Structure formats: C-alpha cells, structure tokens
Amino acid sequence: MAEDITSTLKEERRFPPPAEFSGRARVRSMEEYEALYRRAEEDPEGFWAERAQELLTWDQPWEQVLDWQPPRARWFVGGRLNASVNCLDRHVATWRRNKAAIIWEGEPGEVRTLTYLQLWREVCRFANVLRKAGCEAGDRVVLYMPMVPELAVAMLACARLGVTHSIVFGGFSASAIRDRVNDAGAKVVVTADGGWRRGGIVPLKDSVDAALEGDACPSVEGVIVLRRTGQKVAMEPGRDIWWHELMETVDATCPPVSVDSEHPLFILYTSGTTGKPKGVVHSTGGYLLGTAWTSRMVFDLREEDTYWCTADIGWITGHSYIVYGPLANGATTVMYEGAPNWPEPDRFWDIIERHRVNIFYTAPTAIRAFIRWGDRWPLKHDLSSLRLLGTVGEPINPEAWIWYHRVIGKARCPIVDTWWQTETGAIMISPLPGATPLVPGSATRPLPGVIADVVDGDGQPVDGDQGGYLVIRKPWPSMIRGVWGDPERFEKTYFSQVPGTYFAGDGVRQDAEGNFWIMGRIDDVINVSGHRLGTMEIESALVSHPAVAEAAVVGRPDDLKGQAIVAFVSLTGDSDPSPALGETLRAHVAAEIGALARPEEVRFTDALPKTRSGKIMRRLLQDIAANRDTRGDTTTLEDATVLDRLRKKWDER
Ligand code: WTA
C-alpha cells in the first residue's frame, strides 16, 4: 500500500446525534441500527424485497429477489417497472402534483421551479421528441449539457422510453466526448448552445461539433440543441435541430415503456487503472431502490424538506442524489448551474438562505475552499433552515469537518460523511444521522445490507487496526452490472483480487469501534477535487503531443484539491525543456481531456525511474512530487542516478 495513506489519524472526538434529531429520525439509536444491520445480514433477500415493495412501484412483480452468479448479479428477476414513472407519474397521481420537484437557479440569477406535474409534462414531451428522433428501448443517448432542468428532463425522458443515457460532464473536451459517444454507440447527442460558468459561457455545442467532426462518430444520427445562453452556434443541416422547435411538435403525454428490472438505466464513464475510462452500467430496479432507500435513510429525507446536493449531474453523485434518489422519494431537489464563488464567495449560503434549504450535501474540496475564503461569507447569511449536512467524494480532514460542523451547522446539524463510488450506485458506508455517533474524518459504519470488510494483499481478512483493502462481500441492489462492452475488464477490475468479492480499490482501516477510515485509492487513480482521473488517461494525452517521448503522472497531496496532478515528462530528441513548453503541455492535456485534468506541474526529465523489467516506479515519483524522502526499497531501480536528477527541477540542474 502507498505509505502516505496508511498514516493513521487519531481522532478521539465523538459527536452523538442531537436528541431532537434522533427523536424523530427513522433509525433512532445504535441498537436500532444494529438490529436492522443484523436483519439484513441474516436475510438479505427478505430485507431488500421488503424495501423494494415499500419504496418502488412495479408494473410486474419479480419472481426471484436475487440471482447471484459471481460476478453477475440480477436483482428482482422478472420484475418490470419504469424509472420515470417512479420519479414522476406516481407523485403526479397524488397531491404532490403541485409540489416543487426541482428548484433551479441559473448562475446569472434566474430561478425556475418545476412542480412534479410540470416536470412530468416536460419529460413526456421530450420523450416524444426522442422517439421522433428514432430512439427506442435499448438505444443509447449521450447528454452533454449544462446544469439546467432540461438535463434532468432529458434523463427522465430516456428512462421513460427505456433508452440508456450516458451523461458526459460538461467540463470534458471534444475528444473525451468522442470516445464516450463511440464506446456507447450513441444514436443521439443532446447538448446546449452553452452553459454559464463564472460569468462566462462554456461552449458545449462547439465541443460536440469538434467531437463529431467528419465521420468521427458514425453511430450518431442527430444532435438536439437546447438554447440556454442565446449565443450563436453553427447548426449542421440534417443533423442538428433545436430542442424548442422539436418540443412544439409533440404531444404532452407519452406512455412509459415498462422495462425489465435489469434493463440498463444508464452508462457513466469513470476512470480506472488502465486504458480508457470504463462505462459503468447501472440497472433500473436495483439502482433505483438503492438511491431511493439511501436518500431516505442517510439524509433522513422528509416530505417537507428542501434538499440540495451541489454536485454536477455529470458525476454519479448528481445522478443518484440530485435526480433519481430525491425524485423517487417525491422530494424537492435544488439544482444550481454555476460556480460556488460567483459572483461572490457566498453564493451557496445565499441559495441556502433564500430557498430555506434543510439538507445540504457537498464535497470536502468545496469545504476547504470555503474555509480559505473566510467565515465572513457564511456568517452574512441566515442558515438556520439547515438540519443536516453531508459530504462525499474523498476523505474529509477532521479540521474541515469541525469547521463545517461549527460554522455551517452551528454545532446543531449532524454531518453524514458518505463513502461510495460510481460503481456502487448508492451510499454504502455512512452514519445514520439519528443513530450514529459522528467521528470527524470517518464515514463510520456500513449501511444495513452492506457487508464491508478489510483484506490484505492475499485477500485474507485483516485484524484490527491494520490497514488493508476495502471489499464488499455480498451483492447489493445498486451495484455495477458491468463495464459497457467489456465483460472481461469488469470481472478483472472488480471481482478477481478476491474471487467473487467486490474490490473497491480503496485503502481502508477499521478501528476497534468498527468505524471505517477510508484512506484513498490504492490504484493509479488520482482524486482531484473529488473527481476521479486515471493516470493512464493523462499520460496518453501527454504522449500524444509530438514533443513528448514518455510521461508518468502521479498525485501529490494538495491542501485544497486533495490531490494535485504532477507530470514527469521526457522529451523527444529535438525538443528542449522550457517553461513555455510546460505551459503548452498543460494546455494540451486540458484540450485532450478537460480542464480538470490539467497538470498542476510539469517536470522535465531525461529518464523515468524504472524497474529492470521496465515498469515505471510510481511510488518513487509520488515521493519526489511530494518533496519527501523516498522510503522503501529502491534496489530494483534500473538506474539509481535517475532519482537524484529527478529531485532537481530541470531549471536547477
Ligand atoms: C473516494 C463518488 C473517503 C473513494 C461518489 C472512492 C471517498 C472514490 C468518499 C469514488 C468518502 C468517495 N470518504 N473517500 N466519504 N467518497 N470517496 O466514483 O476513493 O467519483 O473510491 O464516486 O472517491 O469516486 P466516484
């Protein structure tokens, strides 16, 4: 295991749930939690079947709760349902038809509220648009959109038809879009003329044009373009068509297509150790159950709550906890388009005050930025509506936790530190806010139904406080169903280290109280501001530049972002290192993948440290990037002098 993540935190502070909170929570004590946990452990199928019955509306009941043929799980076999019906129609059929489903705020300041009925009508109409564009159950549609309600509309419209959506984060570049569109074989791309970010326009349509240029994406038959910013964009005749023009031509009702419980609801690409990002496939029934149940339990979601998750819908957190989980529960979900510090660093607190947000879910990297910007920004606002806070995406350092608790939560609101992944679909390890004593820096205990464990390199259970690898021993409903188009990679990545057991790829330690301490990725994935990036992707982008012969990328601890990207680069014969070339390479990576992958630092070197068998020794590079002494063995190094040269920056030699 990487040394830097096993440094053990000693955290003695405990924050028991406030009596007022516990008094009305769904799970009110650790005894209740333990009982529920035991029940789920003893009879997982009975446990999940009860929840699926209670929380979802099925068109046809299942015949079998679980069919588990590792690594393949099928949940609620034979059951049929529709995700958009579960998120909309069943609420529209009640008094909730006039309840706010989405409260949206655009970055320039406009506010739009869509009731369940209004959202349902938009979804039905857009489903008819997709149908007119030739989409039917089983097809894939890529969504590359800003954070506007139409993104949720497009997702739910796909779900209504049984079309599998694949959202590409709006910060990704043209070539990232192209790879994903081609891997998914998308028939239609839905985008917008642009989106607002820090007062500027993100030119989404231009990136789509560049991605599809020539015959780069042969599967794409049409591009639907939402008008958001009003800026002029090129419309290719026969391929591109405006969202609003199509919407005028269709009916406002659209019968839902009932799909099999296992039908792929969406594909979401995420970075892995090797090669291109992998398309994580999620099912309809199991995924919806996982997100609906955890929304209720972890966020203690109530009918009267206004709930806000600040993630981008381009990531799994937005899928599960802005759209599917909250809407399946008939909740009011807030959606914000832009940056947290636009026009001022109090934008989030202003939104909380004006919309009277009760539950607020954000990332440690954002919290660290708030701390840096200063207490005066949150203190300017009335945050008394808040009753629960959450974090996700990376380990939260205890100081940031304490600040969040004190300055935002006024020592009154429980904080749920939620561990999960794109692959798990829903939250797996988290406090239950009415029951669990909170431990700053720990996601505490697995939820009922989640059999988490710590193993060593041989897959053997690890004793007590030693670090190890996080595994999940039993299947759960919202688990990844496959890697799109690559069953071998699916099995190899997740179910081969410990055969038949899900391998999360995170280092972890479990303390004597049973609390889990997530220590970060053990593979070559870098977590920058809570976003997963594969070192391989960035290295491939670097070597695609003609000046680069070889590249190795590592993460370096960073106070704000969690990790920052450092690239070690050796150049081709006719190129010389210079600050300008460093800048060019940084910009090149941003253009190839997206700004979030831009290296913080490029270090030139004549050679990379390699083993005699030619493997780059990343551990050494991590130490050098972090400016710390190299611990551990360097005897396998092919050329020991490389290390000394690497320690010096190129301009100091
Ligand atoms: C990390 C985001 C510590 C972890 C939902 C995981 C966390 C990866 C936490 C998944 C947490 C997420 N504490 N680490 N509360 N939440 N992580 O797929 O390394 O974007 O494997 O899913 O983020 O990132 P992903």
Side-chain angles (χ1 to χ4, degrees):
M1 293 201 59
E3 295 85 331
D4 55 326
I5 55 175
T6 49
S7 60
T8 39
L9 274 164
K10 286 282 173 253
E11 177 56 63
E12 305 297 340
R13 289 168 288 195
R14 295 291 177 276
F15 295 79
E20 191 199 336
F21 197 102
S22 293
R24 56 183 295 244
R26 294 201 168 84
V27 178
R28 299 167 185 222
S29 66
M30 280 314 264
E31 290 69 43
E32 282 186 29
Y33 159 80
E34 304 272 5
L36 202 58
Y37 193 90
R38 266 197 309 278
R39 152 95 172 90
E41 193 170 20
E42 281 158 16
D43 174 22
E45 295 184 21
F47 174 82
W48 287 117
E50 269 169 30
R51 260 106 215 129
Q53 199 69 59
E54 183 198 354
L55 291 172
L56 300 184
T57 301
W58 298 82
D59 302 327
Q60 189 179 300
W62 57 86
E63 287 145 17
Q64 187 185 350
V65 179
L66 171 66
D67 173 26
W68 176 225
Q69 322 264 352
R72 224 143 285 283
R74 293 194 301 151
W75 281 92
F76 312 112
V77 181
R80 298 186 79 83
L81 78 169
N82 180 284
S84 86
V85 168
N86 274 274
C87 290
L88 299 170
D89 302 54
R90 60 179 180 157
H91 308 311
V92 168
T94 70
W95 67 270
R96 285 198 193 111
R97 73 174 65 87
N98 294 323
K99 176 177 175 175
I102 296 178
I103 299 177
W104 171 79
E105 188 157 321
E107 195 188 73
E110 64 272 61
V111 174
R112 252 172 85 193
T113 299
L114 284 152
T115 63
Y116 272 93
L117 182 63
Q118 289 166 334
L119 182 61
W120 175 81
R121 285 176 62 91
E122 293 294 298
V123 167
C124 286
R125 287 172 66 205
F126 196 67
N128 285 327
V129 164
L130 287 173
R131 185 176 286 171
K132 244 183 146 170
C135 297
E136 52 185 57
D139 288 341
R140 276 83 54 209
V141 166
V142 159
L143 311 178
Y144 183 68
M145 296 178 74
M147 282 283 290
V148 292
E150 285 80 3
L151 173 51
V153 169
M155 294 165 81
L156 293 164
C158 287
R160 197 161 191 86
L161 301 179
V163 168
T164 301
H165 60 71
S166 185
I167 302 183
V168 177
F169 172 59
F172 278 128
S173 68
S175 68
I177 302 169
R178 186 183 307 130
D179 288 348
R180 288 157 172 77
V181 165
N182 284 335
D183 190 81
K187 196 179 230 180
V188 165
V189 176
V190 185
T191 188
D193 56 358
W196 290 102
R197 188 79 190 175
R198 289 208 175 78
I201 291 174
V202 183
L204 299 166
K205 175 64 165 62
D206 295 353
S207 300
V208 169
D209 289 343
L212 303 187
E213 206 177 341
D215 202 21
C217 299
S219 63
V220 174
E221 294 173 10
V223 176
I224 300 173
V225 187
L226 176 76
R227 183 171 281 159
R228 163 70 186 122
T229 60
Q231 75 161 2
K232 214 174 143 37
V233 291
M235 295 291 281
E236 185 172 308
R239 188 195 71 182
D240 302 351
I241 184 151
W242 288 104
W243 172 297
H244 59 269
E245 285 177 5
L246 287 165
M247 288 289 261
E248 276 166 21
T249 66
V250 293
D251 279 359
T253 56
C254 173
V257 175
S258 190
V259 298
D260 190 274
S261 171
E262 282 298 313
H263 186 77
L265 180 61
F266 65 87
I267 304 168
L268 183 59
Y269 287 83
T270 189
S271 297
T273 308
T274 53
K276 283 190 196 163
K278 41 187 185 272
V280 172
V281 179
H282 277 292
S283 69
T284 302
Y287 172 81
L288 208 57
L289 175 62
T291 55
W293 188 66
T294 50
S295 294
R296 266 169 101 86
M297 301 306 282
V298 174
F299 299 115
D300 189 48
L301 198 54
R302 305 273 159 183
E303 191 73 79
E304 64 276 18
D305 280 327
T306 297
Y307 160 93
W308 182 23
C309 164
T310 70
D312 192 289
I313 293 178
W315 308 111
I316 190 68
T317 306
H319 281 65
S320 299
Y321 297 109
I322 296 178
V323 180
Y324 288 111
L327 295 181
N329 279 290
T332 297
T333 180
V334 175
M335 192 171 161
Y336 168 57
E337 178 184 30
N341 54 350
W342 188 268
E344 298 274 16
D346 63 345
R347 185 62 183 265
F348 278 13
W349 321 126
D350 184 47
I351 290 175
I352 290 173
E353 177 172 357
R354 275 185 293 106
H355 299 294
R356 289 271 172 271
V357 171
N358 308 107
I359 302 169
F360 178 66
Y361 188 34
T362 196
T365 187
I367 296 168
R368 292 192 297 266
F370 302 144
I371 296 173
R372 185 168 288 197
W373 295 335
D375 292 10
R376 67 193 172 101
W377 297 105
L379 294 181
K380 271 172 69 174
H381 294 275
D382 175 7
L383 305 181
S384 60
S385 59
L386 289 173
R387 65 181 193 86
L388 178 69
L389 305 174
T391 78
V392 61
E394 54 182 311
I396 181 164
N397 42 310
E399 304 72 53
W401 194 100
I402 295 288
W403 182 90
Y404 195 31
H405 189 251
R406 178 174 56 84
V407 180
I408 307 303
K410 313 293 177 200
R412 198 171 38 75
C413 306
I415 298 178
V416 288
D417 174 352
T418 61
W419 177 87
W420 59 294
Q421 308 175 295
T422 305
E423 293 87 341
T424 68
I427 296 168
M428 303 289 280
I429 304 181
S430 168
L432 288 175
T436 315
L438 305 175
V439 190
S442 168
T444 71
R445 307 272 290 264
L447 296 181
V450 175
I451 315 299
D453 207 348
V454 188
V455 300
D456 65 16
D458 300 322
Q460 297 305 312
V462 160
D463 276 346
D465 223 2
Q466 297 169 35
Y469 304 118
L470 178 58
V471 296
I472 312 291
R473 295 215 176 267
K474 289 276 172 64
W476 64 100
S478 66
M479 70 195 284
I480 177 175
R481 293 305 198 271
V483 171
W484 184 256
D486 200 344
E488 255 169 62
R489 193 171 173 196
F490 170 62
E491 176 152 16
K492 184 159 179 293
T493 311
Y494 303 108
F495 291 96
S496 65
Q497 293 83 351
V498 187
T501 293
Y502 177 79
F503 189 82
D506 276 333
V508 70
R509 176 172 70 83
Q510 194 177 14
D511 68 20
E513 289 166 60
N515 293 313
F516 283 79
W517 296 80
I518 307 291
M519 299 182 292
R521 303 290 309 183
I522 48 99
D523 52 16
D524 293 329
V525 172
I526 306 184
N527 190 330
V528 182
S529 301
H531 302 319
R532 275 168 71 170
L533 290 162
T535 52
M536 267 285 288
E537 292 162 69
I538 307 170
E539 287 161 8
S540 306
L542 282 165
V543 295
S544 75
H545 191 279
V548 176
E550 202 175 20
V553 164
V554 297
R556 168 180 76 199
D558 182 275
D559 283 349
L560 205 56
K561 299 176 180 173
Q563 281 187 299
I565 300 167
V566 179
F568 293 86
V569 169
S570 65
L571 297 176
T572 49
D574 42 6
S575 305
D576 290 320
S578 72
L581 182 58
E583 273 315 301
T584 304
L585 295 179
R586 294 177 66 230
H588 178 72
V589 174
E592 284 293 305
I593 303 175
L596 72 167
R598 181 188 288 128
E600 185 91 358
E601 190 183 335
V602 173
R603 290 204 190 183
F604 296 106
T605 171
D606 50 357
L608 293 167
K610 291 188 186 164
T611 60
R612 290 187 184 103
S613 61
K615 223 172 154 297
I616 294 174
M617 296 180 76
R618 280 171 204 288
R619 187 171 48 80
L620 299 180
L621 293 176
Q622 281 162 359
D623 289 338
I624 289 164
N627 255 331
R628 59 182 176 230
D629 286 342
T630 299
R631 289 159 290 182
D633 190 18
T634 56
T635 49
T636 53
L637 200 58
E638 196 236 339
D639 171 7
T641 63
V642 168
L643 271 191
D644 293 330
R645 278 179 282 147
L646 271 171
R647 286 188 196 289
K648 303 201 184 92
K649 291 189 185 169
W650 66 273
D651 52 351
E652 294 165 357
R653 282 182 207 151

